[in-house]
């Protein structure tokens, strides 16, 4: 199945009272089927907007997005979107929240099986009946991942999914996402401002310029997984990305690296 | 929170209960004493022991039960109408700006009208039968359910709506699975206020024109100069109102378990 994502001449302009705000300028990019791509950039560079356009939640001012060759016109259950906040329904248990994700009319036995499988997939066995407020931030985010995966989406979009988690939980969740990706084999597009996270996870990294966001550089991470976060190649790529951000200001890169 | 030892918890509960009872007991005791000594006019304010005897008598004869049941059935009918309409219009106003704009001026004018002012109009329109009483109760329970429901819906977190949109939920599913559950804590507050209003409206309605019901008992006792019956009636209104709220709070605790601040 073709799970590729094509971004074709996508730009986005928000109308403001004092004129217009261009958030994205013409962007073209092709994500291979089953590829893991990260988008990094400073806050406000339009990376989340780009992701929302891919998801079909926002409409591009010009250009279009194609998933598997078909134009995205509205959100689809075949495209999963994970937000920075877990956005669970507080009145539903873990199980019920995951089940909410199921789109098709599935008979009860199969529903239960699907929910059970996804509870296990994100490692929440034993917490099926818990309410979201009883879970830690990392666990809540796992539930939201399971909810997005239950329809077996072709593409999973992640919008700074671990931004609100502490450093240790974040690293743990990154490993989990890799594990899930290897099981599910969906195309992944991750928006993050955590450069290490992008290098650790991705096949390719898109560096967006400041507003209006445009693709400034594409970096291929040719390091075999599991990746060593302090490996030589890892460090080189990190330096390369930081250079992109700080070139103009000629700041001391060493300080950040 | 760490669990307190069993006996400490019990001790605290007893203490709270005893403190709550202290003032009523003191008032009752001094009332009884003053009445006994004849300092308080017994034919106007009978002693607690006399009221109690009257209460026991009215229970034994089935009179209290009969009138309370009549009032309760009016409350149930009136609340079903008013609360139901409040829920429907609350949802409409919460969901649609058009409905909200259409109704806002009407709500603004009608809502401040006190219940007592509705009675003559309702009697003119519907006669002195059940219709006018039930309508009054319906009006009283309509407003809180309407306002709280629409507020709850308008205040819904847009981020939760986006989750439903991403998962391609139909409009109906969005309403029943996302919007209404999210607004439910507000709606429930409206229901609690509405039930309280309904109960006080029934007494107002019955006190003015009725031949049965607890409000009627009070007014009739006043005419017959039976202060003990009157006070039993008044106190039973308070007691039933308290019971209603306790039951609703219990339901709220079970239904809205997810909404508790912490466990």
């Amino acid at each position: 199945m073709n799970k590729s994502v094509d971004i074709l001449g996508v730009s986005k302009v928000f109308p403001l009272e004092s004129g217009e705000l261009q958030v994205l300028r013409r962007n073209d990019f092709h994500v291979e089927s089953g590829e893991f791509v990260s988008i990094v950039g400073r806050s406000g560079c339009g990376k989340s907007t780009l992701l929302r356009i891919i998801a079909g939640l926002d409409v591009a001012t010009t250009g279009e997005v194609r998933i598997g060759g078909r134009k995205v016109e509205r959100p689809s259950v075949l495209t999963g979107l994970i937000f920075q906040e877990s956005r669970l329904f507080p009145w539903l248990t873990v199980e019920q929240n995951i089940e909410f994700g199921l789109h098709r009319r599935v008979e009860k036995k199969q529903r239960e099986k699907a929910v059970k499988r996804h509870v296990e997939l994100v490692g929440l066995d034993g917490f099926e009946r818990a309410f979201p407020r009883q879970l830690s931030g990392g666990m809540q985010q796992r539930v939201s991942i399971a909810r997005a995966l239950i329809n077996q989406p072709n593409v999973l979009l992640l919008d700074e999914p671990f931004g609100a988690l502490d450093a240790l939980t974040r690293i743990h969740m990154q490993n989990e996402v890799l594990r899930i990706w290897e099981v599910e084999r969906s195309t992944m597009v991750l928006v993050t401002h955590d450069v290490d996270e992008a290098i650790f996870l991705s096949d390719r990294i898109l560096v967006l310029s400041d507003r209006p966001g445009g693709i400034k550089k594409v970096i291929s991470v040719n390091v075999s997984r599991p990746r060593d976060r302090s490996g030589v190649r890892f460090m080189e790529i990190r330096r390369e990305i930081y250079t992109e951000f700080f070139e103009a200001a000629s700041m001391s890169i060493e300080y950040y690296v | 929170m760490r669990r307190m030892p069993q006996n400490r918890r019990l001790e605290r509960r007893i203490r709270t209960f005893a403190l709550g009872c202290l003032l009523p007991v003191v008032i009752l005791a001094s009332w009884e004493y003053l009445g006994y000594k004849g300092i308080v006019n017994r034919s106007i304010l009978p002693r607690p022991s006399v009221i109690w005897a009257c209460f026991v008598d009215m229970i034994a004869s089935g009179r209290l039960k009969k009138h309370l049941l009549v009032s309760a059935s009016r409350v149930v009918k009136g609340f079903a109408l008013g609360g139901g309409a409040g829920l429907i219009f609350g949802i409409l106003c919460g969901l649609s700006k058009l409905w909200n704009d259409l109704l806002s001026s009407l709500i603004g004018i009608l809502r401040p009208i006190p219940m007592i002012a509705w009675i003559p109009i309702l009697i003119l329109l519907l006669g002195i039968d059940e219709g006018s009483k039930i309508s009054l109760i319906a009006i009283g329970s309509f407003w809180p359910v309407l306002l709280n429901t629409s507020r709850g819906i308008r205040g819904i977190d847009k981020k939760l709506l986006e989750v439903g949109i991403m998962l391609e939920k139909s409009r109906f599913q969005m309403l029943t699975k996302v919007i209404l559950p999210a607004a439910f804590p507000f709606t429930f507050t409206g229901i609690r206020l509405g039930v309280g209003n309904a109960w006080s409206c029934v007494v107002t309605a019955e006190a003015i024109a009725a031949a049965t019901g607890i409000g009627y008992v009070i007014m009739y006792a006043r005419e017959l100069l039976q202060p003990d019956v009157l006070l039993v009636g008044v106190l039973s209104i308070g007691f039933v109102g308290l019971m209603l709220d306790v039951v609703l709070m219990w339901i709220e605790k079970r239904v809205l378990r997810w909404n508790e601040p912490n466990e």
Side-chain angles (χ1 to χ4, degrees), chain A residues 111-144:
Chain A
R111 289 181 89 88
E112 280 168 8
K113 248 173 89 180
V115 171
K116 193 166 180 293
R117 197 174 84 77
H118 285 85
V119 167
E120 281 164 12
L121 181 71
V122 295
L124 280 175
D125 328 44
F127 291 93
E128 291 90 342
R129 300 278 154 81
F131 283 104
R133 66 181 168 84
Q134 297 168 315
L135 305 178
S136 68
M139 287 160 94
Q140 290 180 5
Q141 200 55 290
R142 285 160 192 259
V143 180
S144 104

Side-chain angles (χ1 to χ4, degrees), chain B residues 74-87:
Chain B
R74 285 176 182 145
V75 166
V76 169
K77 287 176 197 154
F79 183 78
L81 274 174
L87 191 66

